[in-house]
Amino acid sequence: MPTPTRRELEILKVLWEDGPGSVRAVHRRLLTREPDLAYNTVQTLLRLMEAKGLVRHELDGRTFIY
């Protein structure tokens, strides 16, 4: 299992605390800690985390739920 980076760990903490969520939901939560964090950054990190096997997604319509 790969070791998550600091930002990846922050995303994992949000998912552990809130349960499954969309990129938008994770981004909103992280904005309270990092106000300048871009939505695209969270989206890219979640994709990379999925490639590493740290998260997986399911589709809800057209929305990825991690």
Side-chain angles (χ1 to χ4, degrees):
M1 178 68 71
T3 302
T5 65
R6 180 188 62 80
R7 275 220 169 125
E8 290 173 344
L9 189 56
E10 290 298 317
I11 290 172
L12 288 171
K13 286 179 185 177
V14 168
L15 293 172
W16 290 331
E17 291 170 4
D18 294 355
S22 65
V23 176
R24 186 169 313 282
V26 173
H27 178 248
R28 278 192 195 128
R29 278 288 307 269
L30 291 174
L31 281 178
T32 61
R33 301 174 199 169
E34 294 184 59
D36 296 333
L37 184 63
Y39 175 89
N40 290 346
T41 301
V42 175
Q43 187 176 39
T44 300
L45 284 168
L46 281 164
R47 286 183 187 159
L48 291 171
M49 290 169 67
E50 186 167 23
K52 290 180 180 181
L54 295 172
V55 297
R56 60 184 171 84
H57 79 271
E58 295 179 3
L59 282 176
D60 181 13
R62 293 181 49 195
T63 304
F64 281 29
I65 303 298
Y66 291 90

